[in-house]
Amino acid sequence: MSESIRTSEQTTCATRQRLLEAAGEVFAEQGFRAATIRDICRQAGANIAAVNYHFGDKMKMYAEVLKYAYEKARAKYPSELGPQATPEQRLQAFVQALVYRILDETRLAWHGKLMFREMMEPTEALQTLVEEAIRPEFERLRTVVAELLGPGADIESVLQSVWSVTGQCLFYYHARHIIAVLRPKGAYSQQDMQRIADHVVKFSLSAIRCIEKPKAS
Amino acid sequence: MSESIRTSEQTTCATRQRLLEAAGEVFAEQGFRAATIRDICRQAGANIAAVNYHFGDKMKMYAEVLKYAYEKARAKYPSELGPQATPEQRLQAFVQALVYRILDETRLAWHGKLMFREMMEPTEALQTLVEEAIRPEFERLRTVVAELLGPGADIESVLQSVWSVTGQCLFYYHARHIIAVLRPKGAYSQQDMQRIADHVVKFSLSAIRCIEKPKAS
Amino acid sequence: MSESIRTSEQTTCATRQRLLEAAGEVFAEQGFRAATIRDICRQAGANIAAVNYHFGDKMKMYAEVLKYAYEKARAKYPSELGPQATPEQRLQAFVQALVYRILDETRLAWHGKLMFREMMEPTEALQTLVEEAIRPEFERLRTVVAELLGPGADIESVLQSVWSVTGQCLFYYHARHIIAVLRPKGAYSQQDMQRIADHVVKFSLSAIRCIEKPKAS
Amino acid sequence: MSESIRTSEQTTCATRQRLLEAAGEVFAEQGFRAATIRDICRQAGANIAAVNYHFGDKMKMYAEVLKYAYEKARAKYPSELGPQATPEQRLQAFVQALVYRILDETRLAWHGKLMFREMMEPTEALQTLVEEAIRPEFERLRTVVAELLGPGADIESVLQSVWSVTGQCLFYYHARHIIAVLRPKGAYSQQDMQRIADHVVKFSLSAIRCIEKPKAS
DNA sequence: AATGAATGAGCCTTCATTCAT
DNA sequence: GATGAATGAAGGCTCATTCAT
C-alpha cells in the first residue's frame, strides 16, 4: 500500500513527465536496446503499461525522450549569442556549451549523453534528431567558421575545420574511459571544463588564423 | 564432468577458430549485448552449444575474442617512423595512419571496430587493452607534441593538444552516422582520406605553432 | 539460413509430436487466436520455448498442425476408391468419409474440426491448406458428380451440385449447436453417422438423377 | 459507487446507441474475443471507459448487442407466403429468402453475420436466439417438407431433408472463403443469386420427389 | 453522463544456458 | 570433440478493467 504513486494533487500528467526523465537516464546509461521498459517504469514509479499508454511503444517513447533531451540540453547550456557578437565570441559560446553538455556528470544531465549515444548507435530516430536538433547547430558553427576563415575559403575547407572543432569536443566524451585509464583523475570540476573549452577555442582559433593567413596573403 | 573448456593457450581447433572469427565480426558489428550466440554460431557453422563447450559462456568468449583481436591488431600497423625523423614528419605519419585505419572501411577489419566499441562501452578487459595497445601509441604522440610545443609547455598543455589531435581523427569514426546524414556522400576515396589527414596535420601544426609562440615570447 | 527448425519430413521427436497433438486439440477447440501457447505446452508437458525451438513461432506451428491434421484425417477416414468403382460407390465413399470426419467426437478426432475452423475463420495458412488438401478432394468429387450428371451437364451445373453435396455434409458441423437446441440428443453414435451419410447420398443421387433425366430426354 | 449501469429497457442515450451499433459491426466482423473495446469505442467516437459505464463489461455489452441484433433482424425479412400457396412455392420462397440474405453482402448487415457467428461459437445467449428467432423458421420449413414428402414420411426423414435444404443454403456462407480460393470470382450478382436459389430448389425438390416415390409405392 | 489516467494480468517471443548422448 | 533437445528467465506489447474527477 505504500506503493501509492500519486499522493499529492498534480494537475499536469506527472507520470508522463517522470517517465520521460527516468527513460532519459536509463537510455543514456544503457542505450535503447539494453534499457528495459520495466526498469524505466520502476524508476519512474509507474506501471509497465504506462509506456504504452503515454507513448505507444518503446521506440516512440525513445523518440520523445530524444526530443525532450534536446530541448532540455539547449535550455541548460545555451550556445547561441546575438548576431552582433564577434565570430570569436560565438565560437567560444558554441564550444563551451558543447563541452559543458558533454562533461556535466550531474545525475540530472543525461541529455547530452543520450544524444551522443544516438550518434554512435543510431536508431530510426536519428534522422529526426539530426534535422531538428543537430543541423541547426551545425549550420551555426559552419557560419562562424566561414566568417573566421574569410571569404577565400572553399566549402570543403570550412567543413573540415568544423569537424576539427567538433571532434576536439566530442573526444572528451567518446574517449572518456580511455582517458580515465591513461590519466586517472576524479570527475570533471567546473574549472576543468572551463579549461578544456578554453583550450579547444584557443587551439582552433590559432589553427584557423594560421590557415587563413597564407590564403589571404 | 568439470573441466574441458579451452583457454587461449591451447591447441587451435577448427571450430574454435571459426567461432573466434565469427564472434569477432558479430561483436564488432552489433556489440556484446545485441550480438546473439545463435547468430555467431550460424555464421561459424557451429552448433549453438559450441560456445559453451569451447568458452564456457558468452562473456568468456567475448574476453577471448578481445584478446585475439588485440594480438591480431598488434601484428598489423607498425607505422612508426625512426627517431631521426622530424616531429612534423612523425605527426604526419601518426595522423595519417590513424585516419587511414579509421576511414578505410575495407581495411578497418573487425579488430578495429571491436576495439573502438570496447572504448565506448568498456568491460573489464579495457584496462589491459589500454595498457598494452593504446598507451604506447599515446606516449609516442605525446612525445611528438611535446617536441613541437617546445620545452616551455607544461604537461597539461601537451596533453590537451594530444587530445585535440586524436579527437580530430576519431571524430570521423564516431560521428560517421551524423556526417552521413549531414553531408551524404559515398565511401571515402583514397584522395578523401589523404585530404582529411593533411587537413588534420595542417590544422594541428598551425595551432601548436601559434600556441607555442606566445609562450616562447 | 541453417534453421534448426524441423520440417514435416524430419525424424519424429517425442516432444514435437506431443506438441503437434496438443496444439491440434487446442486449436480445434479455441481457434488460432484464442489458443495460447502456454496452454498447448502445458497440455503437451513441454516448456514454453519448445514451440519456438520446434516450429519457430505460433503461426508456423499452426501451419504444421494443419498439415498434420490433413494427413491424419485422410489416413483415419480414407475417402478414395479405386477407379473401377462406380460413381455411386465413389460418392458414397466420399460422403461417408466427410460425415465421419466431421461428426466423430472422439477426443482424438480434432483433425476434421480444425480444418473446418480454418475454413470459417481463415488465417494465412488457408491458401496452402486449400491447394494441398482441399482442392484434390474437391476435384475428385467434381469428377464423380460430372460422371453422374452425364456429358450434357455444363460446368456451372456440376459445380452447384458439388456444393449441394458438400453443404449437406458440412451443415451437421456448422449448425451443430443449433441442432443441439432444436433437437436435443446425445453424441452421434456410429449408427447415427451412417444414417446421415446414407441420407445425404440418397438425397443427392435422387436429385442428380432427376435433374439429369429432363436434360437427357 | 454501485448501480448506474444501464439496461436495455432504459432511455436511449446517444453514446450508448452508437456503441451498440459499432459493437455490432465489430463483433460481427471479428468475433467476441478478437474484437477489442478500444476499437469499438474508437468507431463509436466514445471514450474507452464508456463500455464499462454503459454495460458493465465486454461480455455484458455483447449480450446486449445480440439482443439488439435479434430485435432488429426480427423486424426485417418477413418473407412468409400465405397458407394457400403450394408447398413448392413456399419452399421456393424460403430458399430464395435465405440465399439472398446470405449472399447479398450489402444486405447482410452485421445482424446476420453476428447471428451466424453466435451459431458457430455460442455463448449463453444462443438458447434464446434459437427459440425466438430460428425455431419458427425451422418449423415452417419442416411443415413444407413434410407436405412434400407426403404422410408416409417419418419424423426423422423429414428432419434429414430439412437439414439437407438448409445445409445447401448455408454452405455458401460458411464455405465462402474456400469457394473464393477454389473458384475465384467477384461478388455475387443478382443473377448468380437467383441461379443458386433455383438450383437449390430444383435439387431439393427432385430429391424429395424421388425419395418419396419408392415410399409411396 | 462521461472521461483521461492508470493498472495488472497475460500473451508471444527471444535468448543464454544446460543436459544427455 | 560435438550436437540436438530442452529449459527458464526476461522482454515488449496488448487488453479489459478501474479509479478519480
Side-chain angles (χ1 to χ4, degrees):
Chain A
M1 290 314 129
S2 60
E3 294 300 323
S4 184
I5 287 146
R6 288 197 65 269
T7 52
S8 64
E9 317 286 335
Q10 284 163 292
T11 42
T12 55
C13 186
T15 303
R16 197 189 132 95
Q17 195 61 25
R18 284 203 317 277
L19 274 174
L20 231 38
E21 286 287 342
E25 288 181 37
V26 176
F27 280 138
E29 202 153 331
Q30 325 239 29
F32 176 72
R33 247 193 122 140
T36 77
I37 268 185
R38 272 171 176 79
D39 196 15
I40 291 169
C41 286
R42 197 178 327 122
Q43 196 159 320
N47 185 276
I48 293 193
V51 167
N52 176 259
Y53 178 72
H54 285 289
F55 303 100
D57 63 10
K58 191 188 180 186
M59 188 61 214
K60 293 204 192 83
M61 173 166 73
Y62 181 73
E64 289 283 316
V65 169
L66 220 52
K67 199 179 289 183
Y68 176 69
Y70 163 61
E71 284 158 10
K72 276 268 169 168
R74 183 171 215 173
K76 189 163 185 184
Y77 295 115
S79 67
E80 206 158 349
L81 288 186
Q84 80 282 13
T86 66
E88 284 82 0
Q89 288 172 321
R90 277 146 67 206
L91 182 71
Q92 170 82 28
F94 183 94
V95 167
Q96 201 158 313
L98 192 49
V99 167
Y100 275 64
R101 279 181 203 168
I102 286 169
L103 295 183
D104 184 343
E105 285 174 354
T106 313
R107 194 162 165 276
L108 297 170
W110 48 266
H111 316 95
K113 279 151 204 159
L114 182 58
M115 292 169 68
F116 293 119
R117 207 172 241 292
E118 177 66 21
M119 287 167 57
M120 279 297 298
E121 296 189 273
T123 67
E124 313 143 28
L126 182 69
Q127 198 79 18
T128 312
L129 179 72
V130 169
E131 295 307 338
E132 294 191 17
I134 296 178
R135 193 183 290 282
E137 307 250 4
F138 162 69
E139 293 297 348
R140 230 146 35 73
L141 179 57
R142 197 161 62 135
T143 307
V144 170
V145 170
E147 286 180 40
L148 289 169
L149 279 174
D154 65 305
I155 280 191
E156 281 306 311
S157 299
V158 171
L159 211 53
Q160 286 176 334
S161 291
V162 165
W163 298 155
S164 282
V165 172
T166 318
Q168 289 177 77
C169 299
L170 293 193
F171 179 79
Y172 290 88
Y173 180 70
H174 291 137
R176 63 199 182 283
H177 299 117
I178 302 292
I179 294 176
V181 178
L182 287 174
R183 309 289 297 178
K185 69 185 288 301
Y188 289 103
S189 70
Q190 168 84 16
Q191 262 193 345
D192 291 330
M193 294 192 277
Q194 191 57 52
R195 209 174 298 141
I196 287 171
D198 287 345
H199 161 76
V200 171
V201 171
K202 192 171 70 178
F203 192 94
S204 303
L205 277 179
S206 305
I208 288 170
R209 285 207 201 92
C210 291
I211 286 175
E212 161 217 18
K213 262 182 205 136
K215 294 207 163 179
S217 65
Chain B
M1 187 75 14
S2 49
E3 282 329 79
S4 53
I5 291 167
R6 303 274 142 315
T7 74
S8 60
E9 268 70 51
Q10 285 183 263
T11 70
T12 58
C13 143
T15 302
R16 195 188 131 91
Q17 194 62 24
R18 284 203 318 277
L19 275 174
L20 232 38
E21 283 286 343
E25 284 179 41
V26 177
F27 281 138
E29 209 67 44
Q30 325 240 29
F32 176 73
R33 202 151 175 173
T36 75
I37 269 187
R38 265 179 178 75
D39 200 13
I40 292 169
C41 286
R42 193 179 336 127
Q43 196 159 320
N47 185 274
I48 301 188
V51 165
N52 237 267
Y53 179 70
H54 284 288
F55 303 100
D57 64 12
K58 193 188 179 185
M59 188 61 212
K60 294 204 191 82
M61 174 166 72
Y62 180 74
E64 291 286 317
V65 168
L66 215 58
K67 200 182 285 184
Y68 176 69
Y70 163 63
E71 285 162 7
K72 277 252 172 171
R74 186 195 196 115
K76 282 183 172 181
Y77 312 121
S79 83
E80 204 161 347
L81 285 187
Q84 79 283 13
T86 66
E88 281 82 1
Q89 287 173 321
R90 278 145 67 207
L91 182 70
Q92 170 83 29
F94 182 94
V95 166
Q96 200 158 310
L98 191 48
V99 166
Y100 271 65
R101 220 180 290 178
I102 284 170
L103 292 185
D104 189 341
E105 287 176 19
T106 61
R107 274 165 65 154
L108 182 58
W110 59 265
H111 315 98
K113 286 183 202 161
L114 187 58
M115 288 166 72
F116 277 129
R117 245 184 203 287
E118 179 68 18
M119 283 166 58
M120 282 295 299
E121 295 189 87
T123 66
E124 315 99 46
L126 182 68
Q127 193 81 16
T128 317
L129 184 71
V130 169
E131 293 306 337
E132 300 194 22
I134 295 176
R135 192 182 291 281
E137 306 253 3
F138 161 69
E139 292 297 347
R140 237 163 16 89
L141 179 57
R142 195 161 62 137
T143 307
V144 170
V145 171
E147 286 180 41
L148 287 169
L149 278 174
D154 64 305
I155 280 191
E156 279 307 310
S157 298
V158 171
L159 211 54
Q160 286 177 334
S161 291
V162 165
W163 299 155
S164 282
V165 172
T166 318
Q168 288 178 76
C169 300
L170 293 192
F171 179 80
Y172 289 89
Y173 181 71
H174 290 136
R176 64 196 182 283
H177 299 119
I178 299 290
I179 294 176
V181 177
L182 285 176
R183 311 285 298 178
K185 72 187 284 302
Y188 290 101
S189 71
Q190 169 82 19
Q191 258 193 346
D192 292 331
M193 294 190 278
Q194 190 58 51
R195 207 175 302 143
I196 286 170
D198 288 346
H199 161 79
V200 171
V201 171
K202 190 170 73 176
F203 192 95
S204 303
L205 279 179
S206 305
I208 288 170
R209 284 205 202 94
C210 290
I211 286 175
E212 161 216 17
K213 261 178 206 144
K215 293 211 163 180
S217 66
Chain C
M1 269 320 116
S2 71
E3 301 296 321
S4 54
I5 290 165
R6 300 277 136 320
T7 74
S8 58
E9 346 315 309
Q10 282 180 266
T11 67
T12 57
C13 152
T15 302
R16 196 188 130 92
Q17 194 61 24
R18 283 202 318 275
L19 275 174
L20 232 37
E21 285 286 343
E25 287 181 38
V26 177
F27 280 139
E29 200 153 332
Q30 325 239 28
F32 176 73
R33 250 193 118 140
T36 77
I37 268 185
R38 269 170 179 80
D39 196 16
I40 291 169
C41 286
R42 197 177 328 121
Q43 195 158 322
N47 185 277
I48 292 193
V51 167
N52 176 258
Y53 178 72
H54 285 288
F55 303 100
D57 62 11
K58 190 187 180 185
M59 188 63 214
K60 293 204 193 84
M61 174 165 74
Y62 181 74
E64 289 285 316
V65 169
L66 219 51
K67 199 180 288 182
Y68 175 70
Y70 163 62
E71 285 158 10
K72 277 268 169 165
R74 184 169 213 170
K76 189 163 186 185
Y77 295 115
S79 66
E80 206 157 348
L81 287 186
Q84 79 283 14
T86 66
E88 282 81 2
Q89 288 173 321
R90 277 146 68 207
L91 182 70
Q92 169 83 30
F94 183 94
V95 166
Q96 200 160 310
L98 192 49
V99 167
Y100 274 65
R101 280 180 203 168
I102 285 169
L103 295 184
D104 184 343
E105 284 174 356
T106 313
R107 195 162 164 275
L108 296 170
W110 48 266
H111 316 96
K113 281 156 204 158
L114 181 59
M115 291 169 67
F116 293 118
R117 206 173 241 294
E118 177 66 21
M119 286 167 58
M120 278 296 298
E121 297 188 273
T123 67
E124 313 142 30
L126 181 69
Q127 197 80 17
T128 312
L129 180 71
V130 169
E131 295 307 335
E132 295 190 15
I134 295 178
R135 192 182 290 283
E137 307 252 4
F138 162 69
E139 292 296 348
R140 231 149 32 75
L141 179 57
R142 197 160 62 133
T143 307
V144 171
V145 170
E147 287 180 40
L148 289 170
L149 279 173
D154 65 305
I155 280 191
E156 281 306 310
S157 298
V158 171
L159 210 54
Q160 285 176 337
S161 291
V162 165
W163 297 155
S164 281
V165 172
T166 317
Q168 290 178 76
C169 299
L170 293 195
F171 179 80
Y172 290 89
Y173 180 70
H174 290 137
R176 63 198 183 283
H177 299 118
I178 302 291
I179 294 176
V181 178
L182 286 175
R183 310 290 294 180
K185 70 186 287 299
Y188 289 101
S189 70
Q190 169 84 16
Q191 261 193 346
D192 292 330
M193 294 191 277
Q194 191 57 50
R195 208 174 301 143
I196 288 170
D198 288 346
H199 162 76
V200 171
V201 171
K202 192 172 70 178
F203 192 94
S204 303
L205 279 179
S206 305
I208 288 170
R209 285 206 202 94
C210 290
I211 286 175
E212 160 215 21
K213 262 181 204 137
K215 294 208 164 182
S217 65
Chain D
M1 187 76 11
S2 49
E3 282 327 82
S4 53
I5 290 169
R6 301 275 143 318
T7 74
S8 61
E9 268 70 49
Q10 286 184 260
T11 70
T12 57
C13 143
T15 302
R16 197 188 130 92
Q17 193 62 23
R18 284 204 316 278
L19 275 174
L20 232 38
E21 283 286 342
E25 284 179 41
V26 177
F27 280 138
E29 209 67 43
Q30 325 241 27
F32 176 73
R33 204 153 175 170
T36 75
I37 269 186
R38 264 177 178 75
D39 200 12
I40 292 169
C41 287
R42 194 178 333 124
Q43 197 158 320
N47 184 275
I48 301 187
V51 166
N52 237 267
Y53 178 71
H54 283 289
F55 302 99
D57 65 11
K58 192 187 179 186
M59 188 60 212
K60 294 204 191 84
M61 174 166 72
Y62 180 74
E64 291 286 316
V65 168
L66 216 59
K67 200 182 285 184
Y68 176 69
Y70 164 61
E71 285 163 7
K72 277 252 173 171
R74 185 194 197 120
K76 282 184 173 180
Y77 312 120
S79 81
E80 204 161 347
L81 284 187
Q84 80 284 16
T86 67
E88 282 82 359
Q89 287 172 322
R90 277 145 68 207
L91 183 69
Q92 171 84 29
F94 183 94
V95 166
Q96 199 158 314
L98 190 49
V99 167
Y100 271 64
R101 220 180 291 179
I102 284 170
L103 294 184
D104 189 340
E105 287 175 19
T106 60
R107 275 164 64 151
L108 183 57
W110 58 265
H111 314 100
K113 287 183 200 161
L114 187 59
M115 288 166 73
F116 278 129
R117 245 186 205 286
E118 179 67 19
M119 283 166 59
M120 282 296 298
E121 295 189 87
T123 65
E124 315 100 45
L126 182 68
Q127 192 81 17
T128 316
L129 185 70
V130 169
E131 293 307 338
E132 300 194 21
I134 296 177
R135 191 181 291 282
E137 306 252 2
F138 161 68
E139 292 297 348
R140 240 168 6 97
L141 180 57
R142 196 161 64 137
T143 306
V144 170
V145 171
E147 286 180 39
L148 288 169
L149 278 174
D154 65 305
I155 280 190
E156 279 306 310
S157 298
V158 172
L159 211 52
Q160 286 177 332
S161 291
V162 166
W163 298 155
S164 282
V165 172
T166 318
Q168 288 178 78
C169 299
L170 292 193
F171 179 79
Y172 289 89
Y173 181 71
H174 289 136
R176 64 199 182 283
H177 299 118
I178 299 292
I179 294 176
V181 177
L182 286 176
R183 310 285 299 179
K185 70 186 288 302
Y188 290 102
S189 71
Q190 169 81 19
Q191 260 194 346
D192 292 331
M193 293 190 280
Q194 189 58 51
R195 207 174 302 142
I196 287 170
D198 288 346
H199 162 78
V200 171
V201 171
K202 190 169 73 178
F203 192 95
S204 303
L205 279 178
S206 305
I208 289 171
R209 285 205 202 93
C210 290
I211 286 175
E212 160 216 19
K213 262 179 205 141
K215 293 210 162 180
S217 66

